[in-house]
Amino acid sequence: MPENINNEKEKLPFAKNEVYRLMRENLDSDKMIKDRVKVEMNRFLYSILVNVCKQLNDYPYTTIDYEMLKECIYPYTNIERINEEKKRILMHLDAIKADCDALAMDVEKSLKLKDTVENDLFADFSADENEY
């Protein structure tokens, strides 16, 4: 098993100790970080870098400027705001749904057809034409 850890160390895109140091700086002091977490964090950070670079490649320019980078990293840097906006939209959709349900109930009540044949010509669709 230690052999796998050494192989993973060689394949990691960033220095494992640097990722570990940064994690230590941002985690509570009582947290212990397992080796697998350090490795997967390293791979995760690399996957974000790859995704951002793919977006940067979509620009037709040969020089990448800061505004382009800002646009590409927006989903990562504004995740809290995006989640708040998602919640707000879902709440608004729930309110619209409740309004639609209330309107549907009103329509059912106010436009309800009477159940008796005498008052409703459309009640019995299989009725003979001579009955009317």
Side-chain angles (χ1 to χ4, degrees):
M1 185 101 172
E3 197 170 75
N4 284 344
I5 294 172
N6 289 336
N7 286 341
E8 287 176 353
K9 200 183 260 188
E10 292 172 15
K11 295 178 185 177
L12 294 176
F14 304 113
K16 188 174 175 182
N17 289 337
E18 186 64 16
V19 172
Y20 173 72
R21 184 186 66 76
L22 292 169
M23 289 177 73
R24 264 284 138 235
E25 285 179 8
N26 292 284
L27 287 170
D28 294 340
S29 61
D30 64 336
K31 302 286 188 227
M32 294 180 67
I33 307 169
K34 292 196 173 206
D35 195 61
R36 174 95 189 256
V37 173
K38 298 172 199 174
V39 169
E40 295 304 322
M41 177 64 83
N42 200 309
R43 290 180 179 155
F44 171 69
L45 293 172
Y46 179 70
S47 71
I48 291 174
L49 180 136
V50 168
N51 288 336
V52 169
C53 287
K54 282 179 185 176
Q55 287 181 290
L56 289 169
N57 276 333
D58 290 341
Y59 288 100
Y61 311 110
T62 55
T63 303
I64 296 169
D65 66 20
Y66 178 65
E67 292 302 315
M68 293 175 192
L69 178 66
K70 259 177 42 177
E71 188 174 317
C72 292
I73 65 173
Y74 180 85
Y76 305 101
T77 56
N78 292 291
I79 193 73
E80 289 175 15
R81 186 171 12 158
I82 291 168
N83 282 335
E84 287 174 11
E85 183 68 7
K86 178 183 169 184
K87 278 186 208 174
R88 187 191 67 76
I89 291 170
L90 289 173
M91 287 173 51
H92 188 65
L93 288 172
D94 284 342
I96 292 171
K97 183 180 172 188
D99 288 346
C100 289
D101 290 343
L103 285 171
M105 286 174 41
D106 288 347
V107 167
E108 286 292 323
K109 285 180 184 177
S110 64
L111 300 177
K112 185 175 183 180
L113 299 175
K114 293 186 179 180
D115 292 335
T116 59
V117 176
E118 299 84 39
N119 295 326
D120 188 1
L121 295 177
F122 299 107
D124 186 9
F125 295 109
S126 63
D128 195 54
E129 290 180 11
N130 296 333
E131 290 182 20
Y132 298 106

